[in-house]
Amino acid sequence: MFYLDDKLRERIILENGRYKVNNTKIEFSENEILELLKNQPEKFSPNVIMRPLYQEVILPNLCYIGGGGEIAYWLELKSFFDAVNISFPILLLRNSALLVTKKQAAEADKLGLGWSDLFSKQDHLKNESIKKLSQFPIDFTPQKEFLQKQFESLYAIASKTDLSFLGAVKAQEVKQIKGLENLEKRLLKAQKRKYSAELERIIHLQNNLFPNQSLQERQSNFSEFFLENGADLIPLLMKHLKPLQTNFDVITLA
């Protein structure tokens, strides 16, 4: 909890049975602070963890509608509500949208990218894009499987002799598999250099659609799109957005 007074908002800290207001000389006994809470509740403010409980006591909700981050945050609070016997609201994930220009949609098509590709983590997008662009497979799984089959015959021999030889065979197999994995990584890096121009266009597009590698709705302001599209934007959004559905829509702007 925080203590409020004029321009003051500081944490209340319990030390040795006394309730002290951080960075001030103000302090209370338990009886004093409970009396103050009873007579002047406006002097107390909840922290971010307690605020949802606080608001549900003052203005109870049957249902809380929020985005993915908000719902994840509320899900952490269920036991808190149970502990103080306050009704926990129904949680409903609202729908979300990604606004895309025709130019961006055309660029995605030109680069051979689906929306699931653009929604993926950037490192994953880079690696998968290079695998698509490469004229030969970068995945060395077949070579690893072939190598493991070769070692099966060595294990058959090793099982008939000294255990130290079995250990040497196992060590050699691990070493060679590791060598193939390192070659696979080096080949991927080499292909990234070769297709750096294409990769730059892919990442540039994703960064435009997901500023700071985050959801557009968390980074971009509605006014940016309104300035570009004018009054037609609102009817377009109203047509597509259905708040009580859990879809994530990709909306191409006119």
Side-chain angles (χ1 to χ4, degrees), residues 121-189:
K121 295 290 185 182
Q122 195 159 101
D123 284 342
H124 178 77
L125 175 61
K126 288 179 181 178
N127 292 341
E128 292 305 307
S129 296
I130 290 299
K131 289 175 183 177
K132 288 180 182 178
L133 289 166
S134 180
Q135 297 176 346
F136 48 82
I138 296 176
D139 184 3
F140 281 6
T141 298
Q143 288 82 355
K144 293 174 193 173
E145 290 175 349
F146 178 78
L147 185 64
Q148 287 168 337
K149 286 180 180 179
Q150 298 302 304
F151 270 91
E152 285 177 5
S153 59
L154 285 174
Y155 279 122
I157 296 171
S159 65
K160 298 174 183 178
T161 186
D162 189 80
L163 287 176
S164 63
F165 182 67
L166 179 63
V169 171
K170 285 182 177 180
Q172 191 61 225
E173 181 186 22
V174 169
K175 181 180 179 181
Q176 293 198 30
I177 292 292
K178 189 69 176 176
L180 280 175
E181 289 173 349
N182 289 333
L183 285 174
E184 191 176 64
K185 290 176 182 177
R186 292 185 66 175
L187 178 58
L188 184 62
K189 286 182 179 178

Side-chain angles (χ1 to χ4, degrees), residues 88-140:
F88 191 72
I90 297 166
L91 301 180
L92 182 63
L93 179 68
R94 62 165 167 78
N95 74 327
S96 294
L98 173 68
L99 303 184
V100 181
T101 66
K102 285 185 177 179
K103 184 178 178 181
Q104 289 170 330
E107 180 71 0
D109 288 340
K110 190 182 296 184
L111 292 168
L113 297 172
W115 294 114
S116 58
D117 298 322
L118 288 164
F119 271 84
S120 63
K121 295 290 185 182
Q122 195 159 101
D123 284 342
H124 178 77
L125 175 61
K126 288 179 181 178
N127 292 341
E128 292 305 307
S129 296
I130 290 299
K131 289 175 183 177
K132 288 180 182 178
L133 289 166
S134 180
Q135 297 176 346
F136 48 82
I138 296 176
D139 184 3
F140 281 6

Side-chain angles (χ1 to χ4, degrees), residues 7-51:
K7 296 181 180 180
L8 178 68
R9 185 177 186 268
E10 289 285 352
R11 282 190 306 125
I12 300 170
I13 303 169
L14 178 61
E15 289 183 355
N16 301 320
R18 300 286 294 178
Y19 292 87
K20 299 180 179 180
V21 179
N22 197 35
N23 296 322
T24 74
K25 294 181 180 180
I26 303 170
E27 61 178 79
F28 307 94
S29 67
E30 183 175 335
N31 289 333
E32 288 170 339
I33 201 166
L34 289 175
E35 188 67 21
L36 184 64
L37 178 61
K38 179 180 178 181
N39 297 323
Q40 294 181 278
E42 71 276 6
K43 285 190 173 293
F44 296 85
S45 171
N47 69 3
V48 67
I49 297 297
M50 192 173 183
R51 190 167 292 122

